[in-house]
Amino acid sequence: MAIIEAVRATIRRLHCSQRTEEAIVHWIRQFIRFHSGKHPPQMGAEEVTAFLNELAVARRTAASTQNQALCVLLFLYKWVLDLQIPRLEALERARRPEHLPSVLSRHETLTLLEHLVPPVRLIGELLYGSGLRLLEALSIRVQDVDLDRRQIMVRRGKGQHDRPALLPA
């Protein structure tokens, strides 16, 4: 698809991460599929609103999911197609959850970690003890671990920045 290649070229020009690129391409493909293969330059605010309302009402997605899809479509029209989308008047917003997510207790967390087998257990302990993101934990190299200072150097983490993280006991 020519539109997907244009999207990928724009994303790479803006130096976005590979995961961001995958997410953007995923949502654009969902949008095109929802409208039976119709090309985005031929669609406007009505089609965008219909897709986002489908996500919120029929598929009952989370508000953050609908917001992500909205941001992707705004990116597509502004940065790739260089088109202006009029105000989305009939957009139904997905509802935010009314309850807070539950958090595992210390005992539940330790029980969960005990049931993991190596090397997945080590990764789980790193995620829990140091606050690393999954891809950060999976990309740690030996030279990134400083046992004397008890820290891990996270290379090219979120936002492509290097940062130190705690090395848990």
Side-chain angles (χ1 to χ4, degrees), residues 26-27 51-52 55-56 59-72 93-96:
H26 165 78
W27 281 116
F51 176 67
L52 294 172
L55 291 177
R59 296 188 198 174
R60 299 184 51 141
T61 60
S64 60
T65 303
Q66 185 191 34
N67 287 337
Q68 184 181 48
L70 171 61
C71 289
V72 165
R93 303 301 292 202
R95 304 188 112 204
R96 298 243 179 233

Side-chain angles (χ1 to χ4, degrees), residues 7-8 11-12 15-29 68 72 75 133-139 156-160:
V7 167
R8 289 185 191 279
I11 291 169
R12 290 178 184 149
H15 305 289
C16 295
S17 73
Q18 184 177 353
R19 298 280 293 203
T20 301
E21 180 179 331
E22 291 170 6
I24 289 173
V25 169
H26 165 78
W27 281 116
I28 292 171
R29 284 190 171 137
Q68 184 181 48
V72 165
F75 170 84
R133 295 175 179 89
L134 179 61
L135 291 179
E136 292 172 345
L138 294 174
S139 64
R156 293 184 317 273
K158 186 169 184 172
Q160 299 299 311

Side-chain angles (χ1 to χ4, degrees), residues 120-138:
V120 176
R121 181 177 178 156
L122 176 63
I123 295 167
E125 289 171 344
L126 275 174
L127 295 175
Y128 175 69
S130 64
L132 295 177
R133 295 175 179 89
L134 179 61
L135 291 179
E136 292 172 345
L138 294 174

Side-chain angles (χ1 to χ4, degrees), residues 148-162:
D148 295 331
R149 291 184 175 168
R150 293 189 59 185
Q151 74 177 22
I152 301 167
M153 194 63 190
V154 177
R155 308 265 180 217
R156 293 184 317 273
K158 186 169 184 172
Q160 299 299 311
H161 298 288
D162 294 351

Side-chain angles (χ1 to χ4, degrees), residues 96-107:
R96 298 243 179 233
E98 294 176 10
H99 64 281
L100 292 174
S102 60
V103 178
L104 296 177
S105 70
R106 184 180 177 103
H107 175 72

